[in-house]
Amino acid sequence: MKKIVITLTIVTLLAIGSYGIFGFMAKKNFDRGMEEIKAQIPSHIDVTYKQGLLSSTVDLSIKIPIDGADIDLITTTHHTIYHGPFILHPMQNKRPAYIPTQAYMEGTLSCELSGDIDAEVAANIKEATTTKINTYIPLAGDVKILFSGKPLNKEFDIQGDVLAIDWQGFTGSMELQGSIRNFTYKLIAPGLTIGGDGPEGVSISTMTSSGTAHTGSSDIGLGSYKAGIKNITVKLSAEPGDEVILKDMQVMVSADEKDDLLTISEIFDIASFSFNNKSYGPANTTTYLRNLDVKTLATMNREYVAFQKENGHDPQAMQNKLIEMVSTHGVSLLSRSPEFEFTNISLQTATGKGEAKLKIRFNGDGEVVLNPLFLLGRLSAEASFGADERFLAVLIKDIAKEAICDNINDPACDQQAAKASSKELKELVKTKQLLLENGRYTATISYKDGAAVLNGKPMPLF
């Protein structure tokens, strides 16, 4: 009997000790995560951590004043952290309690406005932004986070007008690889509809986002991100066709580092868009920022965040700090020969296609002086444009109609716009600003060493 009592006592002490150790580990990991967050966020974060044996609770609060209004945006979170090794609380995905786990967290995040704002509006904003968050922290491997927002279907009375909002909520997941700055995520929101008493309204369907993030050699955030929307419809009035429709939009952004130089790329695609009963698309753009000095950018980011923590309430001070940083670090950035390039800007319509390219580069070889005339002398640029003859004629005519016609459906105005656009195109061809060959308009322009060339001929700048 005595041995049994001793054995039970030892087991009890080991159990208590193990939960104490895992509770200590949870607090240590939390503190490490907060250090990473505070290094990136200039706003002050209020933290309340209440340590327990089997579980702990933590509350975070961030208050951000809104410029020009007596209103604060307050973001708060409340979480309960259940300590391992064996979670005595039901976990999502019904993970068995007998599998050892470092910790499991349940909680919510919400945003609310305080100050000079209607109490009902503030309450509705808090309800709409409340996000449920569940986090599973294994003994080894990636931290897994599931989050979701509830649907919201409400009508608001704004100065006698009804504003109806139908928000279908969202779901998402995230996996952390050792740090809160190294992660992958997925998000989907089925749809949002905003309307009122009249025919005007906005409808957005199937919003998605995903990405992967990691830190580079100088603590600069790198990764690739993708976002898309299946359909956006903006109803402007009850008139037939008086609406804007955009379909299958996608944006892809990536940031990569090589040899201490950062490259940022962005690709924007849209399958089609229409307004005024005219359809366009597909439309595409591809943009690059290259040769950005990583170490200098990291230094500027640290300086700006540190300054913002003390002076974020003073817009003029922040603006002066930016000017100071440009003058201090501008030479370092320019000495790496940064460049900006549109490798593709294209639009397809029923009448043809048009595309353009643009590249701007700064020559950072040798000594760099922050003088406007010197900088202009080091800049070089190349641009090209091409479009089917019918495509450009219709496009310029439509622009002219918007400018000169009170009623764009008036046939007389349509003829007037067609004559004006035809005259303008002929003048551009006559003066060699556009070249017309084989049913296609083209133009090329370059700038180097302070001189510009248009379609092979020098072009005066002044």
Side-chain angles (χ1 to χ4, degrees):
M1 184 66 181
K2 186 177 181 180
K3 290 182 178 180
I4 294 176
V5 173
I6 294 174
T7 301
L8 290 174
T9 301
I10 293 174
V11 170
T12 301
L13 291 174
L14 287 174
I16 294 173
S18 66
Y19 278 101
I21 292 172
F22 276 77
F24 171 79
M25 291 171 56
K27 180 63 164 63
K28 186 177 180 180
N29 290 335
F30 172 82
D31 290 340
R32 184 177 62 186
M34 286 305 304
E35 289 178 2
E36 294 185 28
I37 293 174
K38 289 179 178 179
Q40 301 297 319
I41 297 179
S43 302
H44 174 72
I45 305 176
D46 290 321
V47 182
T48 302
Y49 196 104
K50 296 181 180 180
Q51 184 81 49
L53 179 61
L54 299 180
S55 65
S56 300
T57 60
V58 58
D59 294 281
L60 305 179
S61 179
I62 304 174
K63 180 186 289 187
I64 302 175
I66 298 178
D67 293 337
D70 189 19
I71 298 174
D72 295 324
L73 172 64
I74 303 175
T75 302
T76 59
T77 68
H78 174 78
H79 278 82
T80 300
I81 305 174
Y82 298 93
H83 308 152
F86 302 103
I87 304 299
L88 305 180
H89 176 82
M91 291 188 293
Q92 274 203 357
N93 297 335
K94 299 180 180 179
R95 292 185 176 88
Y98 57 79
I99 296 179
T101 301
Q102 185 178 154
Y104 173 71
M105 299 171 59
E106 280 188 346
T108 58
L109 177 149
S110 62
C111 299
E112 58 183 318
L113 297 176
S114 67
D116 187 17
I117 186 171
D118 182 80
E120 183 180 358
V121 173
N124 287 322
I125 291 174
K126 183 176 182 179
E127 179 183 353
T129 60
T130 296
T131 303
K132 184 179 179 181
I133 304 174
N134 298 83
T135 305
Y136 173 69
I137 307 174
L139 290 177
D142 298 339
V143 175
K144 297 177 176 59
I145 303 173
L146 299 177
F147 51 92
S148 62
K150 292 182 179 180
L152 177 69
N153 192 325
K154 281 195 173 184
E155 291 187 351
F156 302 91
D157 187 342
I158 301 178
Q159 296 181 347
D161 294 327
V162 174
L163 179 66
I165 296 179
D166 181 12
W167 167 242
Q168 298 178 32
F170 63 91
T171 59
S173 64
M174 178 180 290
E175 293 190 7
L176 307 182
Q177 290 93 36
S179 167
I180 61 173
R181 297 183 63 192
N182 300 335
F183 60 84
T184 60
Y185 78 95
K186 293 181 180 179
L187 171 70
I188 181 168
L192 168 67
T193 301
I194 302 175
D197 293 328
E200 299 87 356
V202 178
S203 177
I204 305 174
S205 66
T206 316
M207 295 166 276
T208 60
S209 182
S210 61
T212 300
H214 62 279
T215 52
S217 60
S218 297
D219 205 34
I220 287 289
L222 306 175
S224 59
Y225 312 91
K226 181 178 179 181
I229 299 177
K230 188 68 176 176
N231 181 278
I232 299 178
T233 300
V234 182
K235 190 72 174 178
L236 302 174
S237 72
E239 293 292 327
D242 193 14
E243 61 183 6
V244 179
I245 300 175
L246 302 95
K247 294 183 177 181
D248 292 329
M249 292 189 301
Q250 286 196 352
V251 178
M252 290 164 279
V253 179
S254 67
D256 197 12
E257 173 192 350
K258 184 178 181 181
D259 298 329
D260 290 331
L261 293 176
L262 177 67
T263 296
I264 301 174
S265 65
E266 179 185 39
I267 299 173
F268 173 77
D269 293 322
I270 180 170
S272 67
F273 59 97
S274 62
F275 57 92
N276 290 337
N277 292 316
K278 290 184 175 292
S279 297
Y280 304 88
N284 317 95
T285 65
T286 303
T287 311
Y288 289 95
L289 275 170
R290 301 188 183 96
N291 300 337
L292 304 176
D293 187 67
V294 170
K295 293 182 180 179
T296 302
L297 290 176
T299 300
M300 293 175 67
N301 181 64
R302 287 192 294 268
E303 288 182 7
Y304 191 74
V305 170
F307 188 82
Q308 192 174 10
K309 287 182 178 180
E310 300 295 330
N311 302 276
H313 60 283
D314 188 343
Q316 185 61 49
M318 297 304 301
Q319 183 177 342
N320 293 339
K321 180 62 177 178
L322 283 174
I323 296 173
E324 175 193 330
M325 289 170 60
V326 169
S327 62
T328 303
H329 302 287
V331 171
S332 297
L333 290 173
L334 293 174
S335 65
R336 303 305 296 270
S337 300
E339 62 182 42
F340 169 83
E341 183 176 14
F342 274 119
T343 61
N344 172 52
I345 308 173
S346 64
L347 174 63
Q348 179 80 42
T349 72
T351 58
K353 183 179 181 180
E355 64 271 333
K357 295 181 179 180
L358 170 66
K359 185 175 182 178
I360 301 173
R361 185 177 185 273
F362 182 85
N363 181 5
D365 296 338
E367 183 182 5
V368 176
V369 180
L370 293 181
N371 176 283
L373 294 178
F374 175 88
L375 297 178
L376 280 174
R378 289 289 189 92
L379 278 178
S380 63
E382 299 174 0
S384 63
F385 169 78
D388 296 331
E389 184 175 6
R390 181 64 178 159
F391 169 89
L392 193 57
V394 173
L395 181 63
I396 292 181
K397 186 191 78 170
D398 288 343
I399 294 174
K401 285 174 64 175
E402 291 288 343
I404 66 177
C405 300
D406 294 329
N407 180 7
I408 61 174
N409 295 317
D410 182 3
C413 184
D414 187 82
Q415 293 179 2
Q416 182 183 357
K419 289 181 180 180
S421 61
S422 177
K423 182 180 179 180
E424 183 176 353
L425 281 172
K426 287 179 180 178
E427 183 65 22
L428 290 173
V429 172
K430 182 180 178 180
T431 57
K432 304 293 185 181
Q433 296 181 62
L434 279 179
L435 303 179
L436 178 59
E437 186 176 357
N438 298 325
R440 188 169 177 80
Y441 290 104
T442 60
T444 59
I445 185 171
S446 63
Y447 173 86
K448 190 175 182 181
D449 298 329
V453 176
L454 174 62
N455 294 325
K457 294 184 177 182
M459 182 181 69
L461 295 176
F462 304 101

